[in-house]
Amino acid sequence: MTGFVEHLPILTIVIPLFSAFTILVAGWFNKKSCIFIFWLTLTAQFIMSFIILRRVLIHGPIHYWLGGWKPPWGIELVVDSLNAYILIILLFLSLACAIYSKSNIEHELPGKRVSFYTLFQLLIAGLCGVTLTGDIFNMFVFIEIFSISAYALIAARGKIALKASFTYLILGSIGTCFFILGIGCLYSVTGSLNIHDLSLLLPPFYGNKVVKAAFVFFIVGLSIKMALFPFHTWLPDAHAFAPAEISAMLSGIMIEISTYAFIRVSFSVFTLEFLKLLPVFDILCWVAVAAILMGSVMAITQVNLKRMLAYSSVANMGYIMLAVGISLSAVESPWGGLNPALMHIANHALMKGCLFLAAGAFIYKANLWHITEFRGLARKMPYTCAAFVLAAISMIGIPPSAGFVSKLYIILASIEIKNYFFVAVLLISSLLNLVYFWRVIETMYMKHEEGGHSSHGSHGMREEIPLGMLIPILLLSSLCIVMGIVWLGKIPIPILDQVNLMFGLGKVP
Amino acid sequence: MILTVESIKPALALACPLIAALLILLSNRRPNLRESWTLIAGLFQFAIILSMAPMILRAQTIEYTLLTGMLPGINFGFKVDAFGLMFAMTSSFLWIIVSIFSIGYMRALQEHAQTRYYFCFALAIFGAVGVALSGNLITMYVFYEILTISTYPLVVHEESPEALFAGRKYLAYLLTSGVFLLAAIALDYSVSGTTDFNPGGHLTLASASRPFLMILFLLFLLGFMKAAYIPCHSWLPTAMVAPTPVSALLHAVAVVKAGVFGIVRIVCYVYGTDTMGELGLGVMLASFAAVTMIGASLFAIAQDNLKKRLAYSTISQLSYIIFGVALLSPMGVTGAMIHIPLHGFMKITLFLCAGSILVASGKKNISEMAGIGRRMPVTMFAFTVGAFGMCGMPATAGFISKWFLGLGALQNGNLIFLAVLLISSLLDVVYFFPIVYTAFFGNAEGMDSNWKGSKRIKEAPLFMIIPLSITALFSIIFYFPNPVSEALLHMANLALSH
């Protein structure tokens, strides 16, 4: 059995890769088959990700050598508690989006089902690859795979989406260029591409300017990919004009995967010692603070719901990067080290996934894009609106939701490093969140449709979305609350503690 | 020595309104079933809470932990002590009363969105009782925020632009205050490593520097903006646009009471009266409260809208409670603690009366109510009882708390505080007495001529009359020696014993 589990990481990448082409071919003959192949693949991956996590937690990291070639010559897949954890979030959200897409895609992209699912499957393959690989060049390749699928998927709606996709294409390519420049620099110094190998070879060169430059290249490149302020300019349009499930994937997991890549590069390729040489993480904190404030303020000015959510994502990337930034200095368990950052990655995936899918539902049912058009929507779509409210409450950080817990942890970590300014920023930003989310909720629930007002107590005109779309939304929204309680019960904390232990963060026992 | 007993009862008491909320949603289409869920849950909850009373009276505390080790040193759990139980009993009992009244009110006015109304009402009670039974600040914060969010739909129930404005103001004030509270809790936790409520407090001068402790207290005070002290009071009169039972909930049962409850918790159980005294915070808080007591009474005199006048009266009365704890003397704290239930009963009577006047006659302003006492004798008699209670007249419950507050001021040795108390009581008379006088002895002819052709004003439906008579009766009963009021006093004494 153990032998089989060893092979799961590669299967998680290869199965979707093959499945993508199978969808393309099968779709030729029978368009309806696409979705089932897609679902089947994702379900299988999701189950595998759990087996991988269990194995990693019990027996420690899995090292898989591709083709039996020993690293550093061959490509290696390394699964430790960090990427096993990210993989579950990734596949869970993908599964939710996949279930949602069945009805939505027929509506949003009529006649493009086959190519959509092919690309979606490729996107997931790329994301899984980035997550699982133990080789930095390999990581670059997978980043390109998922980015290219994403460019195409964003452009799928045509018209203005083409422009959004093009902006992302240009900026995203610049980002990956920086990333590969970084890889080049490291290769020129060490002659290795394997992450573990690099971490062993690099320490003598920590004073080397090329190595420092490489780190900066990585930061800049990944900051663009994760839409960290001020490199966020591609994000609002891309989020707003992509199909709903792609927006959810973009905001919920793709930019988080770039954060994961950043964490991996900072802590696994470079090490804690190197990070302590440079004040990079301190600067990062301040950039993140700017992102939080700017993202929230910009979100308030939006009238397009999806754009508003997109700016909210910019702010939330700020949260995550702030948490990463203070991870070096905050040590107390449970908020020390990377805990709050990883926690918010999961929470943000749930919340934003839910919000974007709900926003997509409004477009699906009534072609509603703008917040002002949502008058009286809660009467027509009670379940979707209720889900939206739950996720919004979680975004604002009202207890006992998931968002509250991550906010609390970041605040406690900021207090531990005695930076009260960060505390103030986090608190102010939750008020700003309140402003822009409550505006939507108020319009949905408390304002009546023009003309058709005084329809007190009428239940007649329900126009709820199909069950296939409703279930993922309700599932994600209830998880926004349930996860809050789960986090408070500290059930997943042991996984995060292992991550901290691995990187030498947190309290040394 | 206080014995601690492990019992699931606090969790069960909280489960009642939560389950009721779900059942209410499910029985959307069947009003009778929906309302009976509320009543059944209310009765169950009250029974469960009441069953904890004997243990508390034996000087035990009840603890129950839901999540262990939420943060190091903090469990998500409940700790029922005498003070918490007093608040929980008040809220859960008055929930039943308000629910009965709501049935009459909402049906008489044929209000819309009644399912949402009862659902949010149950959630609000869930929040309020949760606040009462919480064992530490973080648990309390969770319920405190649930209370804020769940009462928002009630405040904007009317969905008119005015109501929307009130709702925004309500959220803007209360969620901002929630942010301050969270900051305060996090800071408290970072210096003391715990947020548990202990009689005598867990913060001492040794925990942090003086300025830090004083700023922290200010943050806590801002955090409990629900207590509606001046200058953070203006959300409360604005929120009067809500249906009257909601106002009763805000004023007597849940929201503002949760605010003052929190302040009492901070003063007596987080800082402790000794530390408060050493920091000089008692005098500061008392001055704050004194300004509110007198200022709000002056505002109240200027109001013609009955509900607005009652709202300012609440602001003033809440500060009696803050004032009482700020005296830091045992009698003062006792007075403050028993004023929470006593004020609850009296204020709910007044609001229910205002509601039944609205339903029966459609009148909102005091100047239009001349002679209404002769048309609605029961309602106005109950109103008189409540109003006299507010003024602290003998033979009403209000006298007891004022008596203790006065003794507390004497114990504190500061005669200015006693003078403040007396002036404020006098002002209470100034704004309540005219209402009673107008209602009974005003010229009723204007009233009849106004309503010529329409039906004559008569008493409101029984669903509304019975609850307000019950609470009025209680407002009198509490004055006379009987097991209930003795138990209350005993609890207030126990609440501070180490």
Side-chain angles (χ1 to χ4, degrees):
Chain A
M1 189 61 195
T2 352
F4 173 67
V5 177
E6 295 282 332
H7 290 282
L8 285 184
I10 188 65
L11 287 178
T12 329
I13 303 172
V14 169
I15 291 179
L17 211 55
F18 277 108
S19 154
F21 296 106
T22 318
I23 288 173
L24 189 63
V25 176
W28 234 338
F29 301 105
N30 183 355
K31 284 197 174 171
K32 277 189 183 150
S33 63
C34 302
I35 182 75
F36 297 106
I37 302 173
F38 187 47
W39 281 352
L40 202 67
T41 319
L42 272 177
T43 316
Q45 280 183 290
F46 190 52
I47 294 166
M48 286 194 278
S49 71
F50 268 101
I51 301 173
I52 291 174
L53 179 72
R54 187 173 162 275
R55 159 71 213 257
V56 167
L57 286 181
I58 297 172
H59 300 289
I62 305 175
H63 293 267
Y64 184 83
W65 300 341
L66 238 61
W69 291 90
K70 258 184 150 181
W73 296 280
I75 291 172
E76 186 190 23
L77 299 185
V78 181
V79 193
D80 51 31
S81 32
L82 174 60
N83 40 17
Y85 168 78
I86 299 280
L87 189 69
I88 287 196
I89 303 169
L90 156 66
L91 289 171
F92 177 74
L93 189 67
S94 308
L95 197 58
C97 292
I99 298 169
Y100 179 91
S101 67
K102 183 172 184 287
S103 314
N104 189 45
I105 280 312
E106 284 165 31
H107 177 82
E108 263 195 291
L109 301 171
K112 291 188 191 165
R113 234 182 315 174
V114 180
S115 47
F116 174 82
Y117 284 117
T118 311
L119 284 167
F120 201 169
Q121 187 70 78
L122 212 54
L123 174 78
I124 288 162
L127 290 170
C128 290
V130 176
T131 315
L132 295 175
T133 184
D135 182 292
I136 193 140
F137 189 79
N138 203 225
M139 186 183 266
F140 163 75
V141 172
F142 281 118
I143 287 180
E144 281 292 27
I145 291 180
F146 89 68
S147 300
I148 288 169
S149 342
Y151 304 144
L153 284 167
I154 292 168
R157 296 170 62 100
K159 291 177 200 156
I160 193 154
L162 290 173
K163 179 181 160 280
S165 167
F166 189 66
T167 322
Y168 182 31
L169 171 74
I170 299 293
L171 279 169
S173 309
I174 294 173
T176 38
C177 274
F178 274 111
F179 192 81
I180 198 157
L181 272 175
I183 296 174
C185 290
L186 289 188
Y187 190 69
S188 70
V189 174
T190 61
S192 175
L193 290 170
N194 183 284
I195 289 178
H196 181 66
D197 201 33
L198 278 171
S199 70
L200 298 178
L201 291 172
L202 272 175
F205 301 105
Y206 277 168
N208 193 328
K209 287 211 172 82
V210 180
V211 175
K212 282 181 186 163
F215 187 63
V216 174
F217 283 138
F218 283 125
I219 290 192
V220 175
L222 289 171
S223 297
I224 295 175
K225 295 300 286 184
M226 73 173 95
L228 186 64
F229 175 84
F231 304 119
H232 66 281
T233 42
W234 60 268
L235 181 133
D237 279 341
H239 280 42
F241 299 114
E245 46 284 89
I246 299 306
S247 304
M249 288 293 288
L250 262 172
S251 174
I253 204 66
M254 275 171 62
I255 51 181
E256 271 86 346
I257 289 292
S258 308
T259 321
Y260 159 78
F262 178 76
I263 293 172
R264 184 57 85 191
V265 168
S266 311
F267 292 101
S268 284
V269 176
F270 297 92
T271 51
L272 213 51
E273 273 169 68
F274 177 77
L275 298 176
K276 283 182 175 162
L277 290 178
L278 303 172
V280 176
F281 271 44
D282 298 332
I283 299 168
L284 205 62
C285 287
W286 292 96
V287 175
V289 163
I292 293 174
L293 293 177
M294 271 303 293
S296 304
V297 170
M298 288 302 288
I300 292 176
T301 62
Q302 301 304 315
V303 283
N304 180 326
L305 178 64
K306 283 177 84 175
R307 274 182 82 93
M308 184 193 99
L309 295 177
Y311 275 109
S312 158
S313 295
V314 174
N316 274 280
M317 292 318 287
Y319 278 118
I320 296 173
M321 290 316 285
L322 177 62
V324 173
I326 53 185
S327 65
L328 292 186
S329 357
V331 292
E332 287 293 336
S333 174
W335 58 80
L338 284 169
N339 283 8
L342 296 178
M343 177 187 260
H344 199 62
I345 287 179
N347 293 347
H348 184 241
L350 293 175
M351 300 186 286
K352 262 309 151 46
C354 177
L355 288 170
F356 269 113
L357 293 187
F362 302 145
I363 293 167
Y364 172 86
K365 202 71 218 178
N367 203 21
L368 298 176
W369 288 79
H370 292 285
I371 295 164
T372 43
E373 298 165 344
F374 290 173
R375 288 168 165 270
L377 203 60
R379 284 197 177 69
K380 288 185 204 151
M381 304 168 75
Y383 296 111
T384 318
C385 289
F388 187 92
V389 170
L390 283 184
I393 278 178
S394 182
M395 289 294 298
I396 299 167
I398 289 164
S401 61
F404 164 70
V405 189
S406 33
K407 191 174 78 175
L408 181 69
Y409 273 42
I410 302 176
I411 287 174
L412 288 173
S414 312
I415 288 180
E416 194 200 314
I417 63 165
K418 297 254 178 304
N419 197 325
Y420 298 112
F421 181 74
F422 293 163
V423 180
V425 167
L426 286 164
L427 294 174
I428 290 170
S429 105
S430 74
L431 285 182
L432 294 174
N433 280 354
L434 172 74
V435 172
Y436 58 80
F437 276 113
W438 214 267
R439 196 176 41 156
V440 183
I441 294 174
E442 197 186 79
T443 318
M444 287 192 312
Y445 276 87
M446 299 303 168
K447 290 188 177 160
H448 298 291
E449 256 179 301
E450 276 156 19
H453 66 94
S454 77
S455 58
H456 284 341
S458 64
H459 301 282
M461 8 170 244
R462 284 266 173 93
E463 290 176 34
E464 211 30 283
I465 45 175
L467 210 58
M469 289 167 76
L470 196 56
I471 287 171
I473 294 180
L474 290 179
L475 180 69
L476 287 170
S477 72
S478 48
L479 274 175
C480 286
I481 304 296
V482 172
M483 272 312 278
I485 296 160
V486 171
W487 282 119
L488 283 179
K490 301 218 289 188
I491 295 162
I493 293 285
I495 308 175
L496 306 188
D497 281 344
Q498 276 201 10
V499 176
N500 281 337
L501 197 66
M502 189 168 70
F503 293 148
L505 293 165
K507 218 169 211 168
V508 182
Chain B
M1 182 62 201
I2 291 178
L3 283 168
T4 306
V5 185
E6 189 85 6
S7 163
I8 199 176
K9 277 178 186 170
L12 288 180
L14 278 174
C16 293
L18 203 59
I19 294 169
L22 290 179
L23 290 173
I24 287 167
L25 271 193
L26 291 178
S27 36
N28 182 14
R29 305 282 167 90
R30 299 165 69 187
N32 289 336
L33 184 65
R34 182 182 66 196
E35 268 85 305
S36 51
W37 289 131
T38 305
L39 292 178
I40 291 168
L43 287 172
F44 264 102
Q45 191 190 27
F46 185 62
I48 294 170
I49 289 175
L50 207 59
S51 73
M52 289 192 271
M55 276 190 265
I56 300 295
L57 285 172
R58 267 182 268 130
Q60 294 169 329
T61 55
I62 299 168
E63 281 195 25
Y64 186 71
T65 307
L66 274 181
L67 297 172
T68 320
M70 175 169 63
L71 294 168
I74 299 182
N75 295 332
F76 187 91
F78 308 107
K79 188 169 119 187
V80 190
D81 60 359
F83 179 48
L85 192 75
M86 274 165 76
F87 182 38
M89 280 190 338
T90 315
S91 301
S92 58
F93 182 72
L94 294 182
W95 182 32
I96 306 174
I97 301 283
V98 179
S99 301
I100 299 172
F101 183 83
S102 295
I103 297 171
Y105 183 91
M106 300 301 274
R107 292 193 177 177
L109 292 183
Q110 296 178 337
E111 286 278 352
H112 68 118
Q114 290 196 24
T115 305
R116 182 179 79 196
Y117 173 88
Y118 287 106
F119 172 72
C120 290
F121 222 103
L123 275 188
I125 294 299
F126 172 69
V129 175
V131 166
L133 303 182
S134 299
N136 56 48
L137 276 170
I138 294 201
T139 313
M140 186 180 190
Y141 178 74
V142 171
F143 289 106
Y144 190 79
E145 293 287 87
I146 289 175
L147 181 57
T148 309
I149 292 296
S150 60
T151 41
Y152 168 80
L154 298 173
V155 171
V156 290
H157 184 83
E158 217 179 274
E159 300 181 359
S160 61
E162 199 193 352
L164 282 181
F165 173 75
R168 277 188 203 161
K169 197 165 175 182
Y170 184 78
L171 274 191
Y173 270 84
L174 295 189
L175 283 180
T176 311
S177 103
V179 160
F180 283 116
L181 184 58
L182 182 61
I185 293 171
L187 286 172
D188 174 24
Y189 177 55
S190 75
V191 295
S192 59
T194 176
T195 62
D196 285 352
F197 300 129
N198 296 316
H202 60 250
L203 282 172
T204 57
L205 285 179
S207 351
S209 63
R210 269 169 176 271
F212 182 91
L213 286 177
M214 291 171 99
I215 292 171
L216 182 61
F217 186 76
L218 198 66
L219 283 177
F220 271 123
L221 205 56
L222 283 171
F224 289 109
M225 221 179 266
K226 283 200 177 102
Y229 45 81
I230 290 176
C232 302
H233 67 286
S234 76
W235 58 272
L236 188 60
T238 316
M240 281 303 102
V241 59
T244 310
V246 174
S247 307
L249 171 88
L250 292 179
H251 285 253
V253 186
V255 178
V256 295
K257 285 291 154 59
V260 283
F261 180 83
I263 291 181
V264 176
R265 279 286 195 215
I266 296 301
V267 172
C268 300
Y269 297 82
V270 172
Y271 276 74
T273 43
D274 296 340
T275 316
M276 287 286 291
E278 283 162 30
L279 286 168
L281 288 170
V283 181
M284 188 211 87
L285 188 61
S287 324
F288 230 104
V291 170
T292 309
M293 279 156 69
I294 295 183
S297 300
L298 292 175
F299 278 125
I301 296 170
Q303 305 298 325
D304 187 33
N305 183 312
L306 179 59
K307 278 176 75 182
K308 282 244 166 94
R309 189 176 285 193
L310 292 179
Y312 279 105
S313 154
T314 304
I315 296 172
S316 159
Q317 293 285 332
L318 290 171
S319 278
Y320 279 89
I321 299 168
I322 304 177
F323 184 76
V325 285
L327 291 173
L328 304 178
S329 56
M331 284 291 186
V333 175
T334 308
M337 284 180 177
I338 56 172
H339 201 50
I340 289 182
L342 298 188
H343 173 254
F345 275 93
M346 297 183 294
K347 198 31 83 51
I348 207 166
T349 313
L350 293 175
F351 269 107
L352 297 188
C353 292
S356 80
I357 292 172
L358 180 75
V359 168
S361 71
K363 291 186 191 304
K364 287 180 174 171
N365 293 333
I366 298 161
S367 52
E368 296 165 358
M369 290 177 190
I372 205 166
R374 274 168 277 166
R375 300 266 183 267
M376 306 173 66
V378 181
T379 306
M380 282 320 290
F381 186 72
F383 188 91
T384 311
V385 169
F388 281 4
M390 285 288 150
C391 307
M393 300 226 183
T396 59
F399 177 74
I400 301 181
S401 37
K402 285 234 171 113
W403 175 252
F404 276 101
L405 289 175
L407 288 180
L410 285 175
Q411 260 183 347
N412 182 279
N414 201 332
L415 286 181
I416 298 175
F417 288 152
L418 187 64
V420 167
L421 200 62
L422 294 178
I423 295 172
S424 164
S425 304
L426 200 65
L427 287 173
D428 287 345
V429 179
V430 172
Y431 64 81
F432 269 121
F433 201 68
I435 309 177
V436 177
Y437 180 82
T438 322
F440 281 107
F441 305 110
N443 188 0
E445 280 166 26
M447 169 167 284
D448 282 336
S449 65
N450 272 348
W451 283 67
K452 210 168 268 174
S454 66
K455 59 182 191 297
R456 266 172 70 99
I457 296 170
K458 55 176 199 278
E459 280 288 2
L462 267 187
F463 261 122
M464 305 171 75
I465 294 298
I466 291 173
L468 63 88
S469 315
I470 293 174
T471 53
L473 203 61
F474 268 103
S475 305
I476 296 177
I477 288 176
F478 278 130
Y479 176 75
F480 297 100
N482 66 62
V484 181
S485 50
E486 271 159 28
L488 267 183
L489 270 178
H490 187 48
M491 277 189 195
N493 287 329
L494 278 176
L496 275 185
S497 60
H498 290 252

